[in-house]
Amino acid sequence: MTEIRLHNTKTRRKEVFEPLDPQNVRMYLCGPTVYDRAHLGNARPVVVFDVLYRLLRQVYGADHVTYVRNFTDVDDKINATALARKEAGAEGTLEDLIRERTEETIGWYHADMDALGALRPNFEPRATDYIGAMIAMIADLIEKGHAYAKDGHVLFRVRSYQNYGALSGRSVDDMIAGARVEVAPFKEDPMDFVLWKPSDDELPGWDSPWGRGRPGWHIECSAMSYELLGASFDIHAGGIDLQFPHHENEIAQSCCAHPDGGFARFWLHNEMLQVEGKKMSKSLGNFFTVRDLLDQGIPGEVIRFVFLQTHYGKPMDWTAEKAAQAEATLRRWRGLVAGIEPAPSPAPSVVAALADDLNTAGAIAELHQMAGDPALLKASAALLGLLEDVMGAWAEAPQVDLSAHAVALSNIRAKAMETKDFSAVDALKSALMAAGVEVRMSKAGVELLPGAGFDASKLPDV
Ligand SMILES: [Zn+2]
């Protein structure tokens, strides 16, 4: 069997991955809060851990992997939208409007992640369907001395869990010094975090032993992973921004509630995404959603390819240039595999690259070597969720015939080689690039490919 090695944040080392039960390999990914469209950074964990899911299915069998990704549908931003709609005269109760908003955003999320070629997880639990399990877990934590109720709130007693901070490698005292911890009258210690909080009439709430209220965010992942995957499971994944406090809090809750379980054995974290070398932010004007890119005509498969060119453990930079190159590569590969049946299994070199801590960049480098064997290329690319028939509609769009431009450019170039005056070559090349054409000139000849921003109306006359 293929040996998979993964970088485990918990031990800060690359370790051989051996599942607790090879018949049922279990992984959990923190999912979205469904209050709006997913921005591009939110899509990165979905795509990289989709490749992990595909690899596990390849190695252990498609029916022997259980993948859970939650929907957080209890959140103040969801409430705010629902309340604003109600105040603007929308019909229905606040609960109806909240449900309507979450249904709407879950639908968007599915459409956007489907467009990126991400397989749907086996379970997509919604927090609101697991309130009972959360209340039971909170009551158990109080019973065991790890939590306490005060003024309608329930707080987790951080200092009752000795290993708190082990995942992110920080001590509780350092965290207090460095973090903006909320000091509140109902807290015994500023580090304690909310398991349950009271709801007023304007907010959704559920009856509990501590009054009408709603759960904190962290407890939902602990409760849902326990219900669906058990007290110990194989892999917990998420963005590095969730490592502290969210993942520390999940560990504290789960390990205190189920001390014999051990919770997740491997922790995988993806690094953040930047845009054109800058942090994505609304104030810089480079904040965009997956849907924004799809609407600009950038195919989901191209977005996926760009993501996978960078290892998940490194920060990745989204650039328009990378998107144009990815589109050209995928078009070329799609031309090679059109009408070809995939080989029965992917190339061992691609499996080996992915088994080495999801080296997707290395796997793509291997795909580049397979132009001579389209059947193998197609089977191997599928392990990365690329070149699949369902994703290919964009590449079937009518192609513009650039052969006349290619001939003209090659003729001008041949003449320039004699006269040593390349100004006409440069002028035509610039005009083509201005129309979004990718120009490749080599000894073998001239190749022109429509890039991501291609606009046929801007093509120069030749
Ligand atoms: Zn989580």
Side-chain angles (χ1 to χ4, degrees):
M1 187 175 277
T2 306
E3 182 178 277
I4 298 178
R5 300 172 77 229
L6 299 171
H7 183 269
N8 189 352
T9 313
K10 199 155 115 179
T11 58
R12 292 167 185 76
R13 280 187 294 129
K14 218 191 259 191
E15 295 177 357
V16 174
F17 173 73
E18 275 168 22
L20 289 164
D21 176 7
Q23 295 300 310
N24 183 19
V25 184
R26 286 160 287 163
M27 64 182 267
Y28 186 94
L29 174 66
C30 293
T33 302
V34 283
Y35 68 93
D36 207 346
R37 287 273 184 196
H39 71 73
L40 195 60
N42 297 143
R44 190 177 185 201
V46 175
V47 170
V48 299
F49 297 118
D50 176 66
V51 174
L52 176 60
Y53 181 45
R54 288 171 189 261
L55 175 69
L56 294 171
R57 285 161 58 100
Q58 168 73 25
V59 173
Y60 295 96
D63 298 333
H64 299 290
V65 185
T66 305
Y67 175 21
V68 178
R69 184 181 67 211
N70 64 303
F71 281 120
T72 297
D73 58 354
V74 183
D75 182 82
D76 291 346
K77 293 191 204 79
I78 303 170
N79 303 336
T81 305
L83 199 58
R85 286 181 177 179
K86 189 167 172 62
E87 281 164 2
E91 282 185 30
T93 65
L94 187 62
E95 277 74 19
D96 293 339
L97 294 169
I98 286 172
R99 190 80 190 169
E100 192 180 289
R101 178 61 174 169
T102 56
E103 290 292 338
E104 179 178 64
T105 46
I106 286 172
W108 290 343
Y109 191 79
H110 275 147
D112 295 350
M113 298 308 129
D114 289 354
L116 299 180
L119 300 173
R120 298 265 180 106
N122 303 88
F123 296 97
E124 294 183 283
R126 298 183 188 194
T128 49
D129 291 333
Y130 286 81
I131 302 287
M134 292 182 222
I135 290 175
M137 195 170 198
I138 294 169
D140 183 43
L141 286 168
I142 295 176
E143 176 94 18
K144 289 177 172 146
H146 293 295
Y148 55 93
K150 182 101 192 281
D151 303 339
H153 292 75
V154 182
L155 281 296
F156 186 89
R157 189 176 275 132
V158 166
R159 290 188 194 268
S160 78
Y161 179 58
Q162 214 185 344
N163 289 331
Y164 192 84
L167 181 73
S168 50
R170 292 183 255 195
S171 75
V172 173
D173 293 320
D174 287 349
M175 285 187 251
I176 291 181
R180 282 180 297 170
V181 288
E182 188 196 350
V183 182
F186 48 81
K187 283 186 179 185
E188 282 178 4
D189 185 296
M191 277 308 285
D192 293 350
F193 59 86
V194 168
L195 298 173
W196 189 265
K197 52 194 167 188
S199 293
D200 61 26
D201 294 343
E202 298 271 79
L203 289 166
W206 291 262
D207 290 329
S208 82
W210 319 288
R212 184 176 173 275
R214 60 201 195 285
W217 170 40
H218 314 298
I219 193 71
E220 71 175 77
C221 288
S222 285
M224 293 190 287
S225 64
Y226 177 70
E227 294 294 318
L228 294 165
L229 299 175
S232 42
F233 56 93
D234 298 300
I235 298 169
H236 192 310
I240 191 75
D241 54 331
L242 299 183
Q243 188 185 38
F244 175 78
H246 182 56
H247 290 160
E248 292 285 5
N249 293 355
E250 280 189 40
I251 293 172
Q253 295 159 161
S254 294
C255 290
C256 289
H258 310 290
D260 299 330
F263 200 41
R265 295 166 59 243
F266 279 74
W267 282 85
L268 269 66
H269 288 100
N270 67 280
E271 264 291 344
M272 296 292 96
L273 178 141
Q274 299 189 320
V275 173
E276 307 283 355
K278 293 199 181 72
K279 193 178 174 203
M280 215 182 186
S281 83
K282 283 191 172 138
S283 60
L284 286 174
N286 64 354
F287 184 94
F288 44 81
T289 65
V290 173
R291 181 53 50 182
D292 291 335
L293 288 183
L294 295 170
D295 287 348
Q296 284 165 28
I298 298 180
E301 190 176 24
V302 169
I303 300 172
R304 183 179 182 95
F305 189 95
V306 172
F307 279 5
L308 296 180
Q309 279 177 315
T310 302
H311 187 262
Y312 75 90
K314 292 186 186 138
M316 86 143 276
D317 194 20
W318 172 270
T319 67
E321 192 187 339
K322 281 186 191 173
Q325 285 170 355
E327 180 163 345
T329 301
L330 286 169
R331 273 196 197 280
R332 197 164 61 243
W333 285 354
R334 283 206 167 269
L336 293 171
V337 304
I340 300 256
E341 277 297 308
S345 48
S349 60
V350 170
V351 179
L354 296 181
D356 180 16
D357 194 30
L358 297 184
N359 181 2
T360 50
I364 288 172
E366 293 295 333
L367 297 181
H368 278 287
Q369 310 300 317
M370 292 177 202
D373 189 347
L376 189 64
L377 172 61
K378 193 167 185 183
S380 306
L383 199 51
L384 288 118
L386 297 169
L387 303 186
E388 292 185 296
D389 292 336
V390 287
M391 293 278 287
W394 67 272
E396 284 157 20
Q399 280 287 287
V400 187
D401 183 7
L402 293 170
S403 58
H405 292 84
V407 169
L409 186 57
S410 357
N411 289 344
I412 294 172
R413 184 170 72 151
K415 207 177 285 171
M417 300 286 238
E418 288 167 18
T419 63
K420 303 291 174 206
D421 174 6
F422 287 86
S423 55
V425 177
D426 292 339
L428 181 53
K429 199 177 152 192
S430 310
L432 287 165
M433 285 163 70
V437 177
E438 197 186 326
V439 182
R440 293 169 182 221
M441 295 200 285
S442 66
K443 279 184 192 157
V446 170
E447 195 183 359
L448 301 181
L449 296 160
F454 178 72
D455 182 352
S457 69
K458 290 187 187 157
L459 281 173
D461 292 328
V462 288

